[in-house]
Amino acid sequence: MSWKDAIPNSTIIVGSGVFGASTALALIEAHPSMAVTLVDACHYPSNRAASHDVNKIVRADYSDIMHMKLALEAMQLWTSSPLYSAWYHHSGLLRVGKTALSRKCMDNFAALGASSEAKMIPVAVAKEMWGGVFTDMNSGDETDCYWQPNAGWADAAKALGAVVQEAVNKGVRYLEATVTKVSIAKDETCTGVQLADGTALTADFVMLCTGARTADLLAKSAPTNTQVQAGNRLIGQGMLTFYARIPQERWAEFRDAPVLAGGLEHMSGESIPLNSDGILKFNCDPAFTYTTKHESTGQLMSIPPLTSTKTLWTEPDDIPQGLRGLAQRVYQSMYGKRVAGIELEKYRIGWDCSTPSADFLISTHPHCKNLFLATGGSWHSWKMLPVLGRYVLKALHGTLDNEMTQRWAWDHFDFEGVELGSENKVHKSKIDWVDIIKSRI
């Protein structure tokens, strides 16, 4: 159901991560008289969301032109809108490895007529820049690397919280509660959601912005109806992030460094520059699944664990050896002797959901009236925070362009012979939590 003919009086948005926050704000701005309720298990900014972290990378460098257009639009707001620019830090981005991907990005900037200073530079030159902070980087056999001055990073949790607060200020009701099921009537119409305390919330329209828990929620809501369930459209996945606290007397050595993206087997991950607390953050490939038998359907499904003992570690001895070794490999390959004696302070697993093609899933549910999904971030949606809600509204009003409509549709994905998107990580990885526990990575 689109909103071309009739606008609902009330809408429930489940999940206050990047999709939910952006959509709530866009929705209340476009329809200020609508009763909009944003529901999440945690107070905002929700620490269960993939979008909650110390910081996240902001860039427009994509090998896919549609994604690049979206990211360029978002970049405009990151650098100019008071709501977003307060959290954005301009640093530039250096990528070592994946040269073909980098050259494709430059071709796409040119094809779009977008202003870009991106270029390939010698690795030897890069190691001398920014005070030589990457002098000890293990660049392997790479001779050239990609330098993009027009990129940076943002304070992730703070930016997310600011967007939700802006939505609340404009009239959105924020409800801290756990949604256990979507309420579906016998005629397959969604009528609201069920909460863990037994409360039934009703609304004319329901939007699921529930990330890695979307497949789980749909299965609980319709355990015998496979048409309502997500199937292989959405796969919950985890990825390791880790953090080092740089001694204050050494902040000057790291402060001017850019984002570093490693595209080499021994350096597969990203480093985000020093924040105001002296934290140096890293993301670490590959992504992995957490396969378990679903309690309602008996299906094998990748669902993020609820316990923090499997998602957050502050003591090195607690983290699984496979992840600890992976983190150390990336950490040392990026900074080498520069970080000698600086131990990693914290390890965290972030959870997102990926689609087979790394396209988002922004669509009405074809088998459940008045139910809409905006999810499938595939590890690259956060930077789109300023614009995602706009495009969700376009989908609702039936004004989304044909390419986006097709690529974000419920039935877009070809599971048998899909050509994987270059941004996709989960479908390229066959690693599960069992492999991590047994140190098979």
Side-chain angles (χ1 to χ4, degrees):
M1 171 188 171
S2 77
W3 293 1
K4 286 189 292 186
D5 300 321
I7 305 297
N9 293 317
S10 58
T11 296
I12 293 171
I13 302 172
V14 185
S16 65
V18 62
F19 281 96
S22 187
T23 297
L25 179 56
L27 191 55
I28 201 66
E29 288 179 337
H31 304 287
S33 64
M34 183 183 293
V36 180
T37 301
L38 180 58
V39 188
D40 198 288
C42 306
H43 187 66
Y44 60 92
S46 174
N47 60 15
R48 290 175 59 178
S51 42
H52 185 285
D53 205 342
V54 173
N55 46 33
K56 297 277 189 179
I57 298 168
V58 177
R59 60 173 174 84
D61 309 82
Y62 276 94
S63 61
D64 180 277
I65 281 194
M66 189 187 82
H67 288 147
M68 179 176 279
K69 288 178 181 178
L70 282 172
L72 284 169
E73 186 179 339
M75 284 288 294
Q76 286 284 338
L77 292 171
W78 280 116
T79 57
S80 64
S81 166
L83 180 59
Y84 302 102
S85 62
W87 316 111
Y88 176 70
H89 305 267
H90 187 83
S91 67
L93 177 145
L94 183 73
R95 181 190 289 135
V96 180
K98 296 187 178 179
T99 300
L101 171 65
S102 297
R103 295 191 184 281
K104 179 62 175 174
C105 290
M106 291 190 291
D107 290 343
N108 285 350
F109 282 123
L112 291 174
S115 175
S116 173
E117 300 176 48
K119 61 183 178 180
M120 304 301 296
I121 63 173
V123 170
V125 170
K127 289 185 175 184
E128 295 176 358
M129 298 170 70
W130 310 291
V133 68
F134 298 127
T135 299
D136 294 323
M137 175 178 62
N138 182 357
S139 53
D141 297 328
E142 299 294 312
T143 57
D144 294 310
C145 54
Y146 177 74
W147 168 233
Q148 169 57 280
N150 300 319
W153 56 279
D155 299 301
K158 293 177 180 178
L160 181 65
V163 172
V164 176
Q165 186 62 59
E166 184 73 2
V168 169
N169 291 346
K170 293 186 174 183
V172 169
R173 174 195 178 203
Y174 191 92
L175 179 61
E176 189 175 335
T178 298
V179 173
T180 56
K181 291 182 181 179
V182 175
S183 301
I184 303 174
K186 290 182 179 180
D187 64 353
E188 297 185 344
T189 296
C190 179
T191 60
V193 297
Q194 296 284 329
L195 304 184
D197 66 1
T199 302
L201 291 184
T202 60
D204 296 334
F205 202 79
V206 173
M207 306 179 71
L208 297 185
C209 302
T210 39
R213 298 193 178 277
T214 306
D216 172 43
L217 187 58
L218 288 174
K220 287 177 178 176
S221 304
T224 62
N225 190 339
T226 57
Q227 286 190 311
V228 172
Q229 296 167 19
N232 291 327
R233 290 172 180 83
L234 300 169
I235 298 181
Q237 58 180 135
M239 189 176 294
L240 177 66
T241 59
F242 54 96
Y243 312 80
R245 187 178 296 275
I246 305 300
Q248 189 167 0
E249 63 271 17
R250 296 188 58 190
W251 285 5
E253 297 176 44
F254 296 86
R255 179 141 344 249
D256 295 331
V259 171
L260 175 60
L264 304 172
E265 184 175 353
H266 63 275
M267 189 172 68
S268 184
E270 298 151 336
S271 170
I272 301 179
L274 212 63
N275 72 358
S276 59
D277 294 322
I279 298 296
L280 197 59
K281 179 199 156 185
F282 299 81
N283 302 319
C284 194
D285 293 339
F288 52 85
T289 50
Y290 190 90
T291 304
T292 186
K293 183 178 287 188
H294 194 271
E295 61 181 324
S296 298
T297 67
Q299 299 164 319
L300 290 179
M301 190 179 295
S302 180
I303 305 170
L306 291 173
T307 171
S308 62
T309 59
K310 292 180 179 177
T311 59
L312 178 66
W313 303 271
T314 55
E315 298 297 330
D317 291 341
D318 292 339
I319 187 172
Q321 181 60 41
L323 290 181
R324 189 176 3 167
L326 191 62
Q328 284 294 333
R329 187 171 73 206
V330 171
Y331 186 45
Q332 295 299 325
S333 65
M334 287 186 167
Y335 286 98
K337 291 181 288 185
R338 178 76 59 174
V339 292
I342 303 176
E343 298 297 327
L344 297 178
E345 181 178 272
K346 184 172 72 171
Y347 304 79
R348 175 179 179 263
I349 302 295
W351 297 93
D352 200 357
C353 69
S354 186
T355 68
S357 63
D359 289 307
F360 306 145
L361 176 54
I362 300 177
S363 171
T364 55
H365 198 306
H367 305 293
C368 189
K369 187 179 178 182
N370 298 336
L371 180 62
F372 188 95
L373 296 100
T375 186
S378 304
W379 297 110
H380 68 104
S381 62
W382 191 88
K383 66 182 73 66
M384 313 295 190
L385 174 64
V387 299
L388 277 175
R390 296 179 181 180
Y391 286 90
V392 170
L393 254 64
K394 287 183 179 183
L396 288 168
H397 290 290
T399 59
L400 203 60
D401 72 36
N402 288 336
E403 182 182 11
M404 290 178 177
T405 298
Q406 292 172 8
R407 289 178 61 173
W408 294 347
W410 173 262
D411 289 321
H412 159 62
F413 308 111
D414 172 9
F415 304 116
E416 299 301 322
V418 66
E419 182 178 347
L420 299 177
S422 62
E423 308 300 328
N424 189 284
K425 298 180 180 184
V426 69
H427 287 83
K428 290 182 178 180
S429 172
K430 302 298 182 183
I431 298 172
D432 191 77
W433 182 255
V434 172
D435 302 302
I436 291 169
I437 292 298
K438 295 183 179 180
S439 298
R440 294 175 184 161
I441 60 173

